[in-house]
Structures are given as C-alpha cells and as structure tokens.
Amino acid sequence: MFKVAVIGASGLLGRALVAELAQQTGWQVVATTFSRPVPNALTLDIRDARAVEQFVEREAPDALVIAAAERRPDVCEHDPALARALNVDAVRTLAAAANRRGAWTLSISTDYVFDGAHPPYRDDSAPSPLNAYGRSKLEGERALLDTTDLGCVLRLPLLYGPIVGWAESAVTSLVPAIAASASASADGKPAVMDAWAIRYPTFTPDIAFVIRQMLERHARGEAISGIVQWSGDEPMTKYEIAIRLAEALRVDARLTPQHRPTDATPRPHNCHLASDRLEALGIGRRTPFDTAIRQVLAAFPWRGDKAA
C-alpha cells in the first residue's frame, strides 16, 4: 500500500489531487483540511508544529503533498506574518516531520517568485519576487530544500478548475463582472479587465495528473528532487480570458481593456514557466483552455444568486 498525505485537500488544487489519487489501485490517500471541512478529511492546523508532528507520526505517509498556502497577494502584503506562518514555517515543519519518517515531500510554489521581466523562466533561473506573496513562497521553497534531501518544489502559474465558488480562481472570479456587463439593465457598465499582465492559465486536473506521475516515480524508487515547473501553454491577459469566458457563457459581454497595471500590490508582467524538466521525464498533460473552462462552467453553471 502506497500512502499519500494531501495537506490542504479542500482547496482548488487539493480537491483535484485527491480526486486523481483516489482512482489509483493500491494507494491510500489521507486528506487534511483546516478552514473548510471536507468529508473523510482530517482537521490539521499546519501552523501547529506539535499537531503536524503527531499527524505525520500517526499516519506515516510514504509521500506528503503540501497544497495548503496563503495565495492571495493582497493578503500577504498586508499580513506578512500570516504569509510566513503558512508559506514558510509550516512548510519547514511538514518537511522536517516527513524527513524523519523517510517520506518524500512535494511543496507547491508559484511563478510569482520571478519578476516577470525576462520570460521564459527555467527551474534554475534566478528568482526575483516583486511582492510579499512571491517572497514568502520563495522562502518556503528554500525552507523545504534546506530541511530535506527527499523533497521537491513544483512551481505553478495561474490555476483554474472545478470550483465551489466563483472567487476561488482568478479565472472564474471574472464571471460575475462579465455577466453584469452583459446585463440588459440600464445601469449595466462595461467591465474593465487587465490587458497588461500575461498569464498562463493551468487546469488543476492536469496538475493533479502531473503530481500523480511524480508520485508514481517516487513509488518506483525514482523520486524527483529539487525544483520543477509545470504550466499551461496558452498566454492570455485577463481581458483575453474574459473574452473566452464570455464566449463559453454565451453572453454578449461589454469589456474594456486596461493596458496599464492598476493593482495596489505589484504583480509581474510575464512569468512564463518552462516545463522542460518534467517534459523530459515524459510527465505532463495539457487540456486546451476552451475545453477545460467549459467543463468548469458546466459543473458550476451561472446563476445570478451565485454572483456574491
């Protein structure tokens, strides 16, 4: 029996990963959550070092995937202590506990460790984060790699996938504004969408497939270490994403492009992640954006009461 602990199983990526791993014969998945209860998951506050140590000792996983994090740049900017607690200290605690058990640890990181000025970025490119979120995730990468030799960092860009609310992904969070812009009401206004930052939306079921392939290598005694990256291959601004969302929703949205950055928290222009290392190992899967987003919207159809 190959046992995998998924830390942060209630999140956008965590749910996709649990669903993917649950299909594997001979694998056991132990899922943990904190703020959002999930059936058959254990409650674990990863900021509680003693609770983390007891969890790892009791469950004795062969591998541990850290999908829990504070991922909201504005929150990280205004509460750096929370960002450090979740994105740095908790990673170190989990990695140390797993290392004592001889378990492989995979920690999820972000393209925001780069400044976005010179893409594409390889796994060995020099990081230069622009905001507190990127800095905390970079520190988390270093915490993992300094704590265990049996560990790996997986950097990912903008995520989208099956949701429990529109705001869960920066992709689907655009839907209420798109729908409002298409409203026939007299006060309906065009939705202003960022047309400056270039993003690479990446489908969470594809990432779950990639992580499963990585776990299979570990199960065979061929664990991947160091830093790897995975990314969708379709560059889009939020304005372009909104156009494609409107097409999928079949609404006549009124959209206005914003060609200069307006976010209070600085964000990088183009952090395209090169996926060469995983591709060279035969690892990877990419679902076309238009196909994947239609799957997401079909499972969570638009209704006015879901705009909140």
Side-chain angles (χ1 to χ4, degrees), residues 133-205:
Y133 170 60
R135 289 190 292 272
S136 71
K137 293 300 285 185
L138 178 59
E139 288 185 59
E141 292 183 5
R142 292 169 175 165
L144 175 81
L145 299 176
D146 288 346
T147 301
T148 179
D149 293 328
L150 195 59
C152 184
V153 169
L154 173 60
R155 291 178 183 147
L156 301 170
L158 174 65
L159 307 186
Y160 72 101
I163 54 172
V164 295
W166 296 115
E168 201 173 16
S169 162
V171 171
T172 53
S173 68
L174 305 179
V175 168
I178 292 168
S181 79
S183 170
S185 64
D187 59 349
K189 298 178 181 179
V192 178
M193 296 287 173
D194 178 72
W196 176 78
I198 299 170
R199 311 298 297 274
Y200 288 79
T202 304
F203 194 38
T204 51

Side-chain angles (χ1 to χ4, degrees), residues 11 55 76 80 82-83 92 115 137 164 177 186 188-189 197 201 204 208 223 252 300:
F55 166 78
C76 292
L82 175 64
R92 182 181 292 109
D115 61 14
K137 293 300 285 185
V164 295
K189 298 178 181 179
T204 51
D252 186 15
F300 197 80

Side-chain angles (χ1 to χ4, degrees), residues 247-299:
E247 291 172 353
L249 290 164
R250 297 181 180 178
V251 298
D252 186 15
R254 293 185 292 161
L255 307 172
T256 300
Q258 170 58 258
H259 294 288
R260 293 184 179 180
T262 58
D263 292 304
T265 300
R267 285 163 168 78
H269 174 57
N270 182 353
C271 287
H272 184 207
L273 299 174
S275 307
D276 310 46
R277 189 177 173 202
L278 289 178
E279 289 171 339
L281 295 172
I283 290 175
R285 186 183 77 187
R286 292 184 177 94
T287 304
F289 179 81
D290 290 336
T291 301
I293 199 62
R294 280 170 169 77
Q295 292 178 19
V296 173
L297 297 173

Side-chain angles (χ1 to χ4, degrees), residues 47 70-87 132-133 136 265:
R47 297 168 296 183
E70 178 48 70
R71 61 175 181 80
R72 296 166 294 179
D74 294 338
V75 171
C76 292
E77 208 71 27
H78 293 105
D79 194 348
L82 175 64
R84 166 168 283 279
L86 290 173
N87 296 350
Y133 170 60
S136 71
T265 300

Side-chain angles (χ1 to χ4, degrees), residues 5 21 116 121 124 148 162 169 174 209 213-214 224 228 265 291 301 305:
L21 300 185
Y121 293 94
D124 58 356
T148 179
S169 162
L174 305 179
F209 182 85
Q213 289 180 304
M214 296 176 70
I224 302 169
V228 295
T265 300
T291 301
D305 63 332

